[in-house]
Amino acid sequence: MASGRRAIAAIATFLGILGTVTCSASNGETIPLRSLTPPSVTAPGAGQLTYGIGAPGIGDPDFPTDGNGGYDVDRYRLRIDYDPGSRHLSGVTAIEAKATQDLTRFNLDLRGFEVSRITVDGSAARFERDQDELTVIPARPISDRAGFTVTVTYAGEPQPVRGSSNLGTYGFIPTDDGAFVACQPNGAKTWFPSNDHPADKARYDFEITVPAGLTALANGELVSAPKTAGGKTTFLWRESHPMASYLATATLGRFELRQGTTPGGIPNLTAVDPRFHSALDSLYTQSGRITDYWSTVFGPYPFSSTGGVIDDFTAGYALENQTKPQYGGFTPDSSIIAHELAHQWFGDSLTITRWRDLWLNEGFATYAEWLWSEHEGGSTVETTFRNHYAAAPDAAIWKYTPGRAQPADLFNDSVYTRGGMALHALRQRIGDPVFFNLLKTWNTEHKYGYVTTEEFVALAEKLSGKKLDKLFNVWLFTAEKPTDW
C-alpha cells in the first residue's frame, strides 16, 4: 500500500492476449502462526476449539476476531449483482474449504447485509449473527480433513469500514457510478462472507453483474467476453493464484481501458476513470516497464497479468490489489507505481501470517521505491538512506518499532521508511551480491506462500554466513535511533 472505458470491446480483445498464459496454483492452506524472535513474542496457534466448534478468530492476537479457525479455504466463487443507483448488492458466495478439525459449527466474517439462506454441501444450514461474525451450523457434522462447500445468499447495501485509525474508509465503497473496492486490512467482509485474514489465502472466481455501460474489474484475468442482456452486463474474472482476502477487488464504474503486453511479454491491463483520461497511457507504460524491471531484481513475476486502476474516489491511498493495483482519486507518479508493483512480490505472492510483520510488505516496497529512483537516475539508495537517517534522535520515526506494527497504527511511517532503512543496513552489512541473491531466494522459496520476520532473519543469516540478530534488533525492535549495528 502507498499512502497518499473503452470497456467491453477492449476487455474482450484482452482475452486473446491472456489465452496463452497458464499458471498452477498452490492449495492456499492456512498455516499456523509462529512465535517471533526477536523479541520474545508468542502468538497463539491457528485458533481451534474443542467439541467441533471452529474458533471465531484465526489466531492473530492483534486482530483476535479476524479470520476463523477450523478450516482452510481453497476457492471462493463470488457472484454479485450491484446497482450503483440504489447501492444495492445481492450476492451468492460459494466457499470451497477443507476442515482442519471436526466441525459442528464454524464462523465466517460478514459485515452487514441480510443473509437469507446458507447451505453446506447442498443441505440447508442454520446460522447466527453477532456483529461481523456469521456462525454456520451445518445439518450434519463435518469430519476433520473433509472437503465441503458452504454457500451463502445475502443482500443489502454494503457498509464500508469508516473512521478507522488505520485507513479511514476502506472495503466496498459506493461511488456515483459504481464502487471503489480496496480492503486492507480486513474489509473483504464488507462485500462477501470470508475467512478475512491474510493467513488463509485462496483462489477466486468472480461473476459480477452491473448496469450495461459500466465495467467491472476484478483480480486475475477474464474467463470469457462480457455478456450483456436485459440492460445488464456480466463479467467473469478468475485469479488462479492464491490470494489474501484483503487483496480481492470488484471495482466497477465507467472506465477507459488500455491493454497489451509489457515489453517482456506479460499481459498488461490498465483502466482509468474518464476524469483521469490523460493518465491512461502513462499508467500503462510505467506499469509495464516497472513490472519487467522488478522481474530482473526480485525474480520472475509471480502472476499472469499486471496493470493498474485509477478510480475517481478520493481515498488518499493506493493499494496493491493482486494483478491490479488501485489508485484512489489521483494520478500516481512512478515512485508510487513502483511501490505497488513491488508488492506483487512482497505482500501478494509472499504473504504475512500476522499483521505485526507488516514491515515485510511495506519496508520492502518502500526500499523498492528507492531502488527505482536510482535506476531512473534520481537519488541513489545510499543518499535516500542518509537523508532519512539524519532525523533527530527524538524524531517520531525512532519511537515506533517497525518490526512490531501496532494494530491501531499499522501504517505508521516507521513501518515503511525505517523498514526500508533496515534493509539498506542489511545490504551494507552483507554486500550487494548476497543481498540481491537474498531477495530472489526469499521470493523463490516462499512463492505463493506465507512468511514471517523470523524466517527472513534466518535466511539472511544462512546466505550471508553472518550473525545478524543485533542488526535486526536495533533497526526493527528498538525504540531509539540506531547508532551501532
Side-chain angles (χ1 to χ4, degrees), residues 11-45:
I11 292 180
T13 303
F14 190 49
L15 290 168
I17 298 167
L18 295 170
T20 59
V21 180
T22 59
C23 297
S24 59
S26 76
N27 61 13
E29 290 185 340
T30 305
I31 65 170
L33 301 180
R34 303 171 182 176
S35 62
L36 172 61
T37 307
S40 178
V41 176
T42 301

Side-chain angles (χ1 to χ4, degrees), residues 212-253:
L214 302 185
T215 299
L217 299 162
N219 311 87
E221 297 77 49
L222 277 168
V223 175
S224 59
K227 296 181 180 179
T228 300
K232 293 185 175 183
T233 303
T234 298
F235 297 79
L236 303 178
W237 296 87
R238 174 172 296 156
E239 176 50 85
S240 297
H241 300 92
M243 179 169 71
S245 56
Y246 77 88
L247 299 170
T249 190
T251 292
L252 51 99

Side-chain angles (χ1 to χ4, degrees), residues 132-191:
D132 293 347
E133 294 293 331
L134 171 60
T135 301
V136 180
I137 307 164
R140 293 176 294 278
I142 301 169
S143 299
D144 184 17
R145 300 186 181 182
F148 66 94
T149 299
V150 54
T151 303
V152 182
T153 303
Y154 59 103
E157 180 177 337
Q159 300 296 324
V161 178
R162 299 184 187 276
S164 164
S165 61
N166 285 311
L167 285 181
T169 300
Y170 62 91
F172 190 103
I173 306 168
T175 62
D176 289 342
D177 65 349
F180 177 85
V181 184
C183 297
Q184 194 178 30
N186 51 11
K189 63 177 175 280
T190 67
W191 63 288

Side-chain angles (χ1 to χ4, degrees), residues 322-396:
Q322 193 158 305
T323 72
K324 292 179 181 62
Q326 196 114 329
Y327 306 98
F330 65 94
T331 299
D333 60 23
S334 63
S335 178
I336 293 176
I337 296 172
H339 181 110
E340 300 307 324
L341 288 173
H343 274 310
Q344 303 302 302
W345 286 262
F346 305 106
D348 294 10
S349 176
L350 277 59
T351 302
I352 56 176
T353 62
R354 56 195 171 184
W355 286 109
R356 68 177 62 185
D357 283 341
L358 186 61
W359 87 278
L360 289 172
N361 298 2
E362 301 302 348
F364 281 63
T366 299
Y367 197 70
E369 291 183 48
W370 304 349
L371 290 171
W372 180 254
S373 172
E374 181 171 301
H375 174 69
E376 290 293 282
S379 294
T380 65
V381 176
E382 179 68 20
T383 297
T384 303
F385 173 85
R386 290 182 178 276
N387 288 342
H388 288 299
Y389 188 75
D394 60 351

Side-chain angles (χ1 to χ4, degrees), residues 105 118 124-128 135-139:
R105 57 197 292 151
I118 298 180
R126 294 187 294 118
F127 58 91
E128 300 169 355
T135 301
V136 180
I137 307 164

